Amino acid sequence: MDLLERSIDRRTFLVLSALAAPSLLAACRSAVPEQSGGPSASAGGLAGPLRSAGQPTPPADWIFTGGRILTVEPAGTVGGLAVRSDRIVAVGPAADIAAHAGPATRIVDLGERAIVPGFIDAHQHRIGDRGAQIHKPAADIIEAAIEQGWTTVDELYADDGLLGLLRDLDSAGNLRLRVNAYLPINENSPEGRSLGDWYGSYQPGQVLSPHVRVAGLKVFTDYDNATILLWKQKDLDEALLRAHRQGWQLAVKTVSTRSLAMIVRAFQSIAAVEPGIVTARGRLEHELFATGEQIAAIKRLGLIPIINANNPGQLVGEADVDALIAREPKGSYAPWRSLFAAGLPAAGCTGFPSYFVVEPRGAPFGSPMHLIYQAVTRVGNLGRKPYPWLMDQAITAEQALRAYTINAARAAFEDETKGSLAAGKLADLVVLSADPLSVAAERINEIDVLATMIGGEMAFVRDGAGDLAPRSALASPGPVAVTPPPPGQSTPTAGIGNLAAGAAARASASLAGSGPEKAIDGDTDTNAWNAGSGPPQWIEVDLGGPATIEAIRLVVAQYPNGATRHRIIGAKPSGKASVLKEIAGTTKDGDVLAVTPATPWTGLQIIRVETLKSPSWVAWREIEIIGRRP
C-alpha cells in the first residue's frame, strides 16, 4: 500500500396542477449558480437603487473590528473588515470601516479574538474516501470540516462517481464548502493503468454546480513509496504535454527524489516547446523529498509544492517511512523551510483521511489549527515527538498560515477570489479564539474555531459565540397572535393585525397562476407566489400608507431543502429605504421564518422580501406583516 494514498483504490414543492408539477420539480433540481452581488433592478415599486438618503453605497451586512484581523496581504494585520452579500467590501483601519455601517449592519467587536482567511485544504480525500476510515455520511464529514474552519477543499481523485455525488450533495444543500475537483488519468495501483480520456467530457475550470469546480488532472507517477515508477520518461513527457496543450492544470504525485526527478525532466521537456508551462502552476502532490538542486529547478519551472505539514511528526516510527528516509539523499526529507526560503509558494494539505486518529485533546486531527501546530512543532499524531534532526526544517506559524490560505488558493488558480482578506474577494473567513501568530507554539493547538463564514454566510457558529450568530434565527418561534379584522374589513384600522391581507403586492416575476397575491391570501397550503425562476427575485407588499410593524412571518415554499439567503427591506412613503433584516441558513418547505425587531419599525409603507440564494425557484407560501396603522 502506498505511503500517502492509503485509501483510494416531501411532498411536492408547489401544487400547481398535475401537469405542471413534473416540469417544475425538474427545474427546481437544476443547479442555480451563486450570485456575486445583490438582486438586479426591476421595474415598479422599490425597483432600482435601495439606498438611504446621502449614502453612496449599500451598507455592509457585517463589520468586524478590534481583535486581530490577519489579512495575509501586504496590509498585514488591520483593525476592521466589512462584508456585504458574499464579498469583502473593505479592509483597513477600524475608523474607515465604520463608514460602511447602516441601520441593519451587524457590528462585532472581536476583543481578544482573531479573523483569518477561510482555510483551504490543497489535497485531501475526505469526501471521496470517507468510508475508508471514518464511516460517516458525506454530509457529516463536510459539516465537521466546516466546523474546523475549512471553506474550500481540493478532492484529488474525483472520478465520475464522486463528481455525481458532489453535485447531488450541492443540490440538496449539503455541500456548503467549495470543492475543487482533480480528475485522475491513471490508477493508483502497481500497474498505474491508464483510465483513458474519460475526462474529455469535462472542461478545465468547468463549474458543475454552485460549489463544485473542475480544477485539473491528477497524475500518479509512483507507487509503494516510489519503489515502483509507473511511467517511462518519454511516455510521461508526452502525456503531460498533451494535457497541458488541452488547457489542463497538472497535479502530479511524488513522494521521493527519484519520482521528482522524472517529473522535473518532464516539465523541462515541455518548457522547451511550450514556455507557457512556467505559468501553468503545475502541482507536486505530497512533495515529501527534494534536494537543493531540485528545489531550484522547481522554482524555475513555476511548480507548486503541495506539502503535508503534519507528516514529518506523524510518520515518526513508521517502518516504511524510516526505510524510505534511509535510501533518500540526506537532508532531502520534508524540506519545508528550504521551500519557503527559496520563495516557493508551498501549499498545505492534509491527505485526509490517511493516518486518521482521534486526538484526545486540543484541535482535532486534520484541522487547520492542529496542522499549523504540527508544522511549527513537528509533533506527530497523539503527541508523538519528532526526531530532533527534523526540527531543522520546521516552519513558522505565519508560513503555515499562508500555506493553508493564499498559497493553497494560488495552487488552484483561485488567489484572485479567495485565500486572503481583501476588498472584492469572497467573504470566506474564520473567527478564532486567539491569534495563532501571537501565541506560544504549544498554545496553537488550543485555539478554537468560533465561526466559519462562507460567501458571507455564517456556516458554523460555536455554542457560546452568540455575537457571531446570524441576526435572525431560522427556527420558527410558533404562531404569532393576530387580531382578525372586523367582518368585511380587509385590513385593521386599529389594534394589531396582519397588514398584508388585502394589500397590493408586486413581484420581480411570477409563474402563470401563481402571482404575488397568492402570498397574502391567508392560504399556506397549496397557494403560493412562485417567481418561476431562480434567485435573485423579490416580492413586495404596499401597505397603502405608513404603519408600525411588530413582526414579519414568512412561510417557506421550497424544494429541495438547502441553503437560502433572504433580505427584508422597508421603505417609507418618501421612498427612503433600508435593510431591516437578513436571514441566512438551511431551510425546507413549510418552515416559518419569523422576524421580530427589538423595537417596532415605524413609518414604513412598503415591505420587500428579496431572495438572494435558493436551491430552487423562489417562492413564498405566505407573507404576514403584523402591525398597526397610525
Side-chain angles (χ1 to χ4, degrees):
M1 187 64 73
D2 201 12
L3 170 65
L4 296 171
E5 303 279 356
R6 292 182 183 258
S7 49
I8 242 343
D9 31 313
R10 176 189 275 229
R11 168 181 153 147
T12 307
F13 171 40
L14 294 175
V15 181
L16 298 176
S17 70
L19 294 176
S23 59
L24 175 60
L25 285 172
C28 288
R29 290 191 180 104
S30 299
V32 178
E34 288 189 69
Q35 305 296 320
S36 60
S40 57
S42 303
L46 286 175
L50 292 174
R51 300 175 182 172
S52 300
Q55 189 169 326
T57 58
D61 299 323
W62 292 85
I63 284 180
F64 301 93
T65 61
R68 302 273 295 174
I69 300 176
L70 311 180
T71 66
V72 196
E73 287 272 326
T77 303
V78 298
L81 179 148
V83 170
R84 183 172 66 250
S85 188
D86 66 344
R87 301 278 167 168
I88 297 169
V89 294
V91 177
D96 294 347
I97 302 303
H100 293 267
T105 300
R106 190 67 184 272
I107 301 176
V108 177
D109 183 351
L110 293 169
E112 298 299 317
R113 297 168 292 185
I115 286 183
V116 296
F119 291 106
I120 301 170
D121 191 342
H123 181 133
Q124 52 83 64
H125 306 276
R126 54 172 42 85
I127 303 173
D129 282 359
R130 66 194 181 282
Q133 298 184 55
I134 310 302
H135 308 294
K136 290 183 179 180
D140 292 350
I141 296 291
I142 292 163
E143 289 305 304
I146 292 171
E147 291 179 12
Q148 293 172 5
W150 298 112
T151 59
T152 296
V153 296
D154 295 357
E155 277 280 339
L156 264 292
Y157 196 99
D159 55 15
D160 269 329
L162 180 56
L163 292 174
L165 172 62
L166 292 171
R167 286 194 297 263
D168 290 346
L169 287 166
D170 210 1
S171 177
N174 292 323
L175 188 67
R176 296 187 296 140
L177 48 65
R178 312 178 196 276
V179 178
N180 289 314
Y182 285 82
L183 320 184
I185 72 168
N186 64 325
E187 292 180 348
N188 179 39
S189 68
E191 298 78 25
R193 283 183 293 262
S194 170
L195 297 174
D197 60 355
W198 73 277
Y199 57 86
S201 301
Y202 302 92
Q203 297 296 320
Q206 182 178 353
V207 176
L208 301 183
S209 68
H211 293 88
V212 183
R213 165 182 171 263
V214 175
L217 299 182
K218 170 70 175 292
V219 183
F220 292 97
T221 60
D222 57 32
Y223 189 79
D224 191 23
N225 298 344
T227 58
I228 300 174
L229 295 181
L230 304 179
W231 298 81
K232 293 181 179 179
Q233 188 68 55
K234 180 176 180 293
D235 294 337
L236 181 62
D237 296 353
E238 292 175 352
L240 297 188
L241 176 59
R242 181 169 59 253
H244 169 67
R245 284 178 168 170
Q246 293 170 347
W248 289 101
Q249 184 190 23
L250 300 170
V252 191
K253 179 200 168 192
T254 173
V255 296
S256 74
T257 56
R258 185 182 177 209
S259 55
L260 181 56
M262 175 177 277
I263 296 166
V264 168
R265 283 195 294 269
F267 276 95
Q268 288 171 335
S269 71
I270 298 172
V273 294
E274 293 282 345
I277 193 69
V278 176
T279 60
R281 302 186 190 180
R283 296 166 47 123
L284 299 170
E285 307 298 327
H286 302 303
E287 189 192 328
L288 196 57
F289 290 87
T291 65
E293 182 179 352
Q294 287 176 327
I295 291 173
I298 288 167
K299 184 174 183 180
R300 289 193 297 268
L301 291 166
L303 303 179
I304 299 178
I306 312 297
I307 62 173
N308 296 64
N310 48 344
N311 274 350
Q314 77 177 21
L315 300 181
V316 165
E318 295 277 344
D320 54 347
V321 178
D322 286 344
L324 180 57
I325 293 172
R327 66 175 181 260
E328 287 290 315
K330 186 176 181 179
S332 63
Y333 180 51
W336 309 158
R337 185 177 297 179
S338 295
L339 296 178
F340 281 96
L344 285 165
C349 73
T350 63
F352 194 100
S354 292
Y355 299 101
F356 175 79
V357 298
V358 177
E359 293 286 349
R361 61 179 300 276
F365 170 88
S367 66
M369 286 300 98
H370 195 55
L371 289 160
I372 293 174
Y373 163 72
Q374 290 183 302
V376 176
T377 64
R378 297 206 152 185
V379 167
N381 296 343
L382 305 175
R384 180 179 294 173
K385 299 298 182 182
Y387 298 131
W389 57 266
L390 279 175
M391 297 308 297
D392 290 344
Q393 287 290 332
I395 60 177
T396 67
E398 182 176 4
Q399 290 169 333
L401 177 63
R402 294 187 65 85
Y404 286 99
T405 55
I406 190 63
N407 290 1
R410 188 179 189 280
F413 282 96
E414 293 190 308
D415 47 318
E416 294 297 319
T417 58
K418 62 176 71 167
S420 65
L421 305 178
K425 288 196 172 187
L426 289 166
D428 291 2
L429 55 86
V430 178
V431 183
L432 302 173
S433 60
D435 174 10
L437 307 189
S438 299
V439 302
E442 60 273 11
R443 282 199 55 211
I444 296 174
N445 202 44
E446 301 170 7
I447 294 176
D448 291 324
V449 172
L450 303 180
T452 303
M453 175 180 281
I454 303 177
E457 296 179 4
M458 284 300 186
F460 163 74
V461 178
R462 185 174 296 278
D463 291 346
D467 63 333
L468 298 171
R471 189 183 297 271
S472 299
L474 289 175
S476 171
V480 175
V482 177
T483 302
Q489 187 170 306
S490 61
T491 56
T493 56
I496 300 295
N498 179 14
L499 304 181
R506 302 171 65 91
S508 53
S510 297
L511 193 68
S514 298
E517 70 280 356
K518 300 291 188 181
I520 54 174
D521 62 359
D523 185 345
T524 64
D525 188 12
T526 61
N527 293 329
W529 164 67
N530 183 1
S533 185
Q537 301 290 339
W538 55 264
I539 180 172
E540 67 181 33
V541 181
D542 188 337
L543 304 178
T548 296
I549 299 171
E550 302 208 3
I552 296 174
R553 298 175 75 246
L554 310 172
V555 184
V556 173
Q558 175 187 318
Y559 182 88
N561 306 346
T564 56
R565 185 166 74 249
H566 312 285
R567 178 186 298 163
I568 301 176
I569 295 176
K572 296 185 176 182
S574 64
K576 181 179 179 180
S578 62
V579 177
L580 304 178
K581 290 283 184 178
E582 182 160 326
I583 308 172
T586 300
T587 51
K588 64 182 184 298
D589 190 47
D591 279 353
V592 178
L593 312 187
V595 176
T596 304
T599 57
W601 294 306
T602 60
L604 298 180
Q605 177 173 332
I606 295 176
I607 296 296
R608 178 195 274 190
V609 181
E610 297 179 342
T611 298
L612 307 180
K613 180 180 180 181
S614 173
S616 71
W617 288 357
V618 178
W620 293 107
R621 292 193 178 280
E622 195 70 13
I623 295 175
E624 296 179 354
I625 302 171
I626 313 304
R628 62 169 64 87
R629 300 186 185 284

